[in-house]
Amino acid sequence: MADLILTNTEGPVGVCTLNRPEVLNALNIALMDVLIERLEAFDADPAIRVIVIAGSEKAFAAGADIGEMADASLVDISERNNLARWKRVAAIRKPIIAGVSGFALGGGCELAMHCDMIVASESAQFGQPEIKLGVIPGAGGTQRLTRAVGKFRAMEIIMTGRFMTAKEAFDAGLVTKVVSKEQFLQETMALAREIGKMPPLALKAAKEAILAVDNTTLATGLEYERRLFYSLFATEDQKEGMKAFQEKRKADFKGK
């Protein structure tokens, strides 16, 4: 059986490529289990500073595998507790960049929104069409999409099930940048390599502080940020970064 997630590394960048092309990378349980395993391995690897999740040019992921849910009862779906897997994706401490081309729908859109940045090809389409199946998003779509694009647009997108183009998603604040279909993976990797040059402990702290925005007041968030800022003065990377700046040379960050 083909590997559901292809992995490779390029310097400080770890890449996970979804690999179910015959079903447009639909997210079944087996694929999610392998993806989480690979993400957690990269998160634990000190040589990796940033992670990329990508699909194919045709589809990032066209949604969840409906065949696994169609006949499920309330008890079945509750007992499986498949959605708990998504907490492990959200718990990854290193920055994750989604490289999205083609369809990012339903669970695919939710997976992209679990990432910290999204590089989209001009052909990318984002959406939460679960309403057309008689359900609603269940892996964070109602919450993450609303935080990204605002209540009124999220209401319309989720309640109609329509797709957003890459340009609309960018204009709404969901996407980091839009690039050509031919260059989407190269542009994703270029951004990852640029971030990978940065001090690893500061990258983790930056991600932690930014994600705290959704769960705190401004006053609490500022205090949280301040504590993280202070903590970085206990690292060798802070000393190296500031010394390199003073000496007008490139910093050599070690993640210590």
Side-chain angles (χ1 to χ4, degrees):
M1 188 174 86
D3 196 341
L4 296 171
I5 302 293
L6 305 177
T7 55
N8 66 283
T9 61
E10 184 180 315
V13 182
V15 182
C16 293
T17 303
L18 310 184
N19 188 38
R20 293 188 77 204
E22 71 283 1
V23 288
L24 299 178
N25 293 329
L27 305 177
N28 64 0
I29 294 171
L31 182 147
M32 287 299 298
D33 283 343
V34 177
L35 176 62
I36 290 165
E37 174 189 305
R38 304 290 168 81
L39 290 175
E40 290 177 341
F42 280 145
D43 206 29
D45 185 345
I48 300 300
R49 299 185 181 185
V50 59
I51 301 168
V52 166
I53 300 177
S56 67
E57 187 176 296
K58 189 173 183 180
F60 178 72
D65 193 322
I66 304 303
E68 291 185 335
M69 297 184 287
D71 296 326
S73 68
L74 170 58
V75 172
D76 292 335
I77 207 73
S78 300
E79 287 298 317
R80 291 176 193 172
N81 200 24
N82 294 335
L83 296 176
R85 289 171 169 81
W86 292 85
K87 293 181 180 179
R88 293 171 64 186
V89 179
I92 300 298
R93 297 182 64 199
K94 293 175 182 176
I96 306 175
I97 304 173
V100 177
S101 185
F103 299 115
L105 307 175
C109 188
E110 288 168 318
L111 178 59
M113 291 192 293
H114 271 71
C115 298
D116 304 301
M117 287 154 274
I118 301 174
V119 176
S121 86
E122 294 170 329
S123 71
Q125 296 185 73
F126 299 85
Q128 300 288 163
E130 289 90 344
I131 198 80
K132 296 181 178 180
L133 301 175
V135 292
I136 64 171
T142 62
Q143 305 303 301
R144 294 180 189 276
L145 186 64
T146 303
R147 283 167 168 77
V149 307
K151 167 191 166 183
F152 298 100
R153 191 171 307 201
M155 285 280 192
E156 181 255 338
I157 291 166
I158 290 171
M159 290 185 179
T160 65
R162 75 170 179 87
F163 303 165
M164 288 185 288
T165 64
K167 182 181 185 305
E168 182 184 359
F170 175 78
D171 290 343
L174 179 63
V175 164
T176 306
K177 62 191 300 187
V178 178
V179 300
S180 71
K181 182 170 66 173
E182 295 75 21
Q183 294 293 315
F184 90 95
L185 190 54
Q186 293 93 319
E187 292 287 345
T188 304
M189 291 300 296
L191 177 59
R193 286 191 295 269
E194 184 66 23
I195 293 170
K197 298 175 184 176
M198 303 304 161
L201 297 175
L203 287 174
K204 290 180 183 178
K207 174 171 176 171
E208 187 177 339
I210 293 167
L211 292 180
V213 169
D214 287 335
N215 301 310
T216 62
T217 63
L218 176 59
T220 301
L222 289 171
E223 180 59 32
Y224 193 69
E225 176 192 77
R226 188 176 300 115
R227 289 198 300 270
L228 288 168
F229 173 76
Y230 289 157
S231 72
L232 291 170
F233 280 77
T235 68
E236 294 178 16
D237 281 348
Q238 175 268 326
K239 302 297 184 291
E240 166 63 10
M242 293 191 176
K243 186 176 181 182
F245 177 82
Q246 290 177 317
E247 296 175 354
K248 296 180 172 56
R249 61 175 174 81
K250 184 179 179 180
D252 182 17
F253 296 119
K254 303 292 188 183
K256 298 179 180 179

